[in-house]
Amino acid sequence: MAADSNKPKKKKTEILPTDPMAEAGRKIFARQLRRMKSHEAGSRSGEDIESVHQMRVAIRRMRSLFNLIGAYYRRKAVAEYERGLREIARALGAIRDLDVLILDLQDFQGELPPASQPALDPVIAILEARRSACRVRLHRLFDSKRYSRFLRRFQRLTKRAGRGARRLKRAETPHQLRHVLPQLLHQRLARVRAYDTVLPAADDATLHALRVEYKGLRYALEFFQPVLGRSAGAFLSQVKAMQEILGRINDIAVFSETVASLDALPAEQSAVLQCYIRARDAELADLRERFNVAWIRFNNRATQRLFSDSLLVLR
């Protein structure tokens, strides 16, 4: 008995291969909801742009998890949480896009000759004003009764085992993590690899859609990595590398769209912005080449075997 008492105890929040999918999801939702809330104050103040980014990532992860395992919950029981997450994500996304563009413009400004640098100040000021307006809308959302109600109800889901879970019609219906997860992960991977039929001539919109699929695959792997084999980490590194390239490609597309939306600017400011767009177009060409090489590496047998091997421990 003494020896047993010295064994390390498993944490209640640790996912287990024998967990029903809804229960594993509840544990992951609880962790991500805590992360979301921990960055709310920073997102309000705007003192550190990483707060908005991290809060947005936590929300994206929860939305992705609902998309992955939503079938294991009663639809009516979780629909309000998905709506709430979507609303918060939109408010944060508007700020995040401007955060990234302003930072990128400031970096570009620092590379310009000193005499040309002031030309970007009015442009950055316009974008900062837009960001301030977006932050006002975010504050209104955070201060609203529906946001408080969303948090209160979502916390109930994460704290009570079985809450919102769909009831099994038959006991032998596959529902444990170890039985269901391999298929779910293979489906995620298939949605990524299917883009092989449209690459490398894909346009920005198609690459953005592929980026979304890579995120879904990455989040799914990260959620369940504790119960996967060691090779999951190496495969996940490949997924992250692809997502980072596609993320930068998407950033440049958003930058160009936002800059194009600016009202008529003085000739000096327009000229500097055109230099900025040309620099980003050159970067975009390099990113596309890097992506094509990385895509071949991602789809080779050695990389795909890392994925397959990571699932073998689920028995």
Side-chain angles (χ1 to χ4, degrees):
M1 294 296 291
D4 291 341
S5 64
N6 291 328
K7 290 182 179 181
K9 295 180 179 180
K10 291 185 178 294
K11 297 179 180 178
K12 292 182 179 180
T13 56
E14 181 181 350
I15 59 173
L16 303 171
T18 53
D19 276 342
M21 288 304 297
E23 176 61 10
R26 181 189 69 81
K27 295 174 182 179
I28 298 169
F29 281 127
R31 184 161 59 248
Q32 294 301 323
L33 184 60
R34 287 194 298 270
R35 290 179 179 176
M36 186 197 90
K37 291 175 62 181
S38 71
H39 293 288
E40 181 182 325
S43 296
R44 280 179 178 271
S45 69
E47 293 179 0
D48 183 359
I49 65 173
E50 272 301 297
S51 293
V52 165
H53 176 55
Q54 293 301 326
M55 187 173 187
R56 188 186 185 201
V57 167
I59 291 171
R60 277 180 167 175
R61 289 175 184 273
M62 288 187 281
R63 295 182 69 190
S64 182
L65 186 59
F66 271 125
N67 184 266
L68 182 69
I69 65 170
Y72 296 94
Y73 295 93
R74 299 193 310 277
R75 184 61 193 164
K76 290 184 178 180
V78 298
E80 66 172 306
Y81 310 134
E82 294 181 272
R83 288 195 301 270
L85 290 171
R86 183 167 57 247
E87 182 179 18
I88 304 165
R90 287 174 179 170
L92 291 168
I95 296 173
R96 177 61 182 172
D97 287 346
L98 289 167
D99 280 343
V100 176
L101 175 54
I102 290 169
L103 185 61
D104 203 66
L105 279 171
Q106 289 171 336
D107 289 342
F108 178 74
Q109 185 180 40
E111 299 170 359
L112 293 172
S116 300
Q117 291 181 7
L120 276 179
D121 288 339
V123 177
I124 293 173
I126 291 172
L127 297 174
E128 287 176 338
R130 288 187 180 183
R131 182 173 61 183
S132 295
C134 291
R135 199 172 300 283
V136 169
R137 290 192 285 273
L138 180 66
H139 284 187
R140 289 173 182 165
L141 174 59
F142 283 160
D143 294 335
S144 67
K145 291 183 179 179
R146 68 180 180 280
Y147 179 72
S148 298
R149 183 170 57 250
F150 159 79
L151 286 180
R152 186 170 59 252
R153 292 182 177 178
F154 200 179
Q155 284 176 321
R156 290 176 187 167
L157 175 75
T158 65
K159 290 181 178 180
R160 186 182 302 175
R163 189 179 183 91
R166 188 183 298 274
R167 294 182 180 179
L168 297 177
K169 293 182 179 180
R170 300 175 62 180
E172 67 273 21
T173 300
H175 66 285
Q176 287 188 354
L177 185 154
R178 58 182 176 153
H179 299 144
V180 175
L181 185 60
Q183 180 183 2
L184 293 180
L185 292 180
H186 273 292
Q187 289 173 346
R188 284 292 185 191
L189 179 59
R191 289 168 63 168
V192 168
R193 297 192 67 194
Y195 277 78
D196 195 49
T197 59
V198 296
L199 296 173
D203 57 16
D204 289 344
T206 301
L207 291 179
H208 171 65
L210 175 56
R211 170 174 168 259
V212 172
E213 296 297 349
Y214 261 115
K215 279 188 177 181
L217 176 59
R218 173 184 176 176
Y219 294 160
L221 288 167
E222 289 178 338
F223 292 148
F224 300 104
Q225 189 173 2
V227 299
L228 298 176
R230 292 182 179 179
S231 62
F235 183 75
L236 188 54
S237 295
Q238 296 274 2
V239 173
K240 290 178 181 178
M242 297 298 294
Q243 185 191 335
E244 287 173 3
I245 295 173
L246 290 169
R248 183 60 180 173
I249 290 174
N250 182 69
D251 284 345
I252 292 174
V254 173
F255 295 165
S256 298
E257 182 179 343
T258 304
V259 168
S261 73
L262 296 174
D263 295 331
L265 298 170
E268 185 181 11
Q269 294 174 17
S270 295
V272 174
L273 280 179
Q274 287 304 312
C275 289
Y276 170 74
I277 293 300
R278 285 195 295 271
R280 291 299 164 260
D281 285 343
E283 182 186 359
L284 185 60
D286 177 65
L287 286 166
R288 280 181 169 271
E289 289 185 12
R290 287 173 53 197
F291 169 77
N292 290 335
V293 173
W295 177 256
I296 293 172
R297 184 171 60 249
F298 178 79
N299 285 281
N300 68 29
R301 183 174 296 179
T303 299
Q304 294 303 310
R305 184 172 181 175
L306 293 173
F307 173 83
S308 299
D309 288 350
S310 73
L311 301 178
L312 294 179
V313 299
L314 291 173
R315 297 178 181 177

